[in-house]
Amino acid sequence: MKFTGRQRRYIRKHSKPPATDRGPDNDELSIIPLLDVVINLVMVLLVLMASALLAREVDAQIPTEGPGTGQPEWRATVVLGASGITVTDREGIFVYGCESQGTGVTLPLAGGEPDWSGLRYCAGQLKAAHPDITKITLTADPGVPVQDVIRAMDAVRGTDGRPLFPEPQIAAGLR
């Protein structure tokens, strides 16, 4: 069987693979594998983040009563502020001398300086009223120098002969 010239040209034309020019102007990137990798990475990262968030959750219960007493735990707080020192417990704010409760600052600044001896006296009054308590909470406004916090810790700890609150706790201010 003989083909005509026209048929041979047609067969040659259609039986050759298409010419591909792999020059620098005709490089094409196959984006499908890249998208597969990116989608898989996104899915893995989402799963890892979700598991990390679940692991970070902590079931915390805030205690409402003191340990084993059935009554709220007594706790005193000393707040160092710009206008002076405020001493409080669960009943309220102590007035000057720490003999009774009222409103305002317990120990106002004297000459621009906190009254450390007054704070030591208040700590002594609190210790006399609650001899079994060893902890007191200290907190300070942001503008209070760290040295004043340290002096307050020393004042509520008491002297060597008469320890008052040997375990002062520092708490972040909520103001």
Side-chain angles (χ1 to χ4, degrees):
M1 171 169 182
K2 289 200 169 208
F3 293 111
T4 64
R6 185 174 175 195
Q7 289 173 333
R8 279 193 298 267
R9 277 191 310 260
Y10 180 82
I11 290 171
R12 260 187 253 124
K13 180 181 176 185
H14 290 291
S15 63
K16 287 182 183 178
T20 56
D21 183 19
R22 295 285 182 192
D25 296 334
N26 198 13
D27 284 342
E28 291 183 18
L29 178 64
S30 179
I31 197 163
I32 301 300
L34 177 66
L35 288 176
D36 287 342
V37 170
V38 169
I39 288 174
N40 285 332
L41 282 175
V42 166
M43 295 303 289
V44 166
L45 289 175
L46 285 175
V47 168
L48 286 175
M49 286 175 39
S51 64
L53 289 176
L54 289 176
R56 294 179 88 182
E57 289 181 12
V58 176
D59 184 27
Q61 301 293 327
I62 298 174
T64 57
E65 298 179 335
T69 61
Q71 296 292 324
E73 182 180 2
W74 182 87
R75 180 172 300 246
T77 304
V78 175
V79 180
L80 303 173
S83 58
I85 301 172
T86 305
V87 181
T88 64
D89 69 358
R90 70 174 174 217
E91 280 89 31
I93 300 173
F94 287 98
V95 294
Y96 191 80
C98 292
E99 301 288 334
S100 61
Q101 307 231 324
T103 59
V105 177
T106 306
L107 301 165
L109 295 178
E113 288 293 318
D115 184 7
W116 302 120
S117 61
L119 179 58
R120 193 172 294 112
Y121 176 77
C122 280
Q125 292 294 100
L126 293 173
K127 187 64 173 181
H130 305 280
D132 55 332
I133 302 296
T134 60
K135 296 179 183 177
I136 193 166
T137 304
L138 295 171
T139 186
D141 288 344
V144 174
V146 175
Q147 187 62 34
D148 286 351
V149 176
I150 294 170
R151 286 184 183 142
M153 287 174 63
D154 291 340
V156 298
R157 280 187 182 136
T159 60
D160 292 333
R162 185 177 168 215
L164 300 173
F165 296 98
E167 301 175 34
Q169 298 175 337
I170 298 176
L174 299 175
R175 296 171 189 244

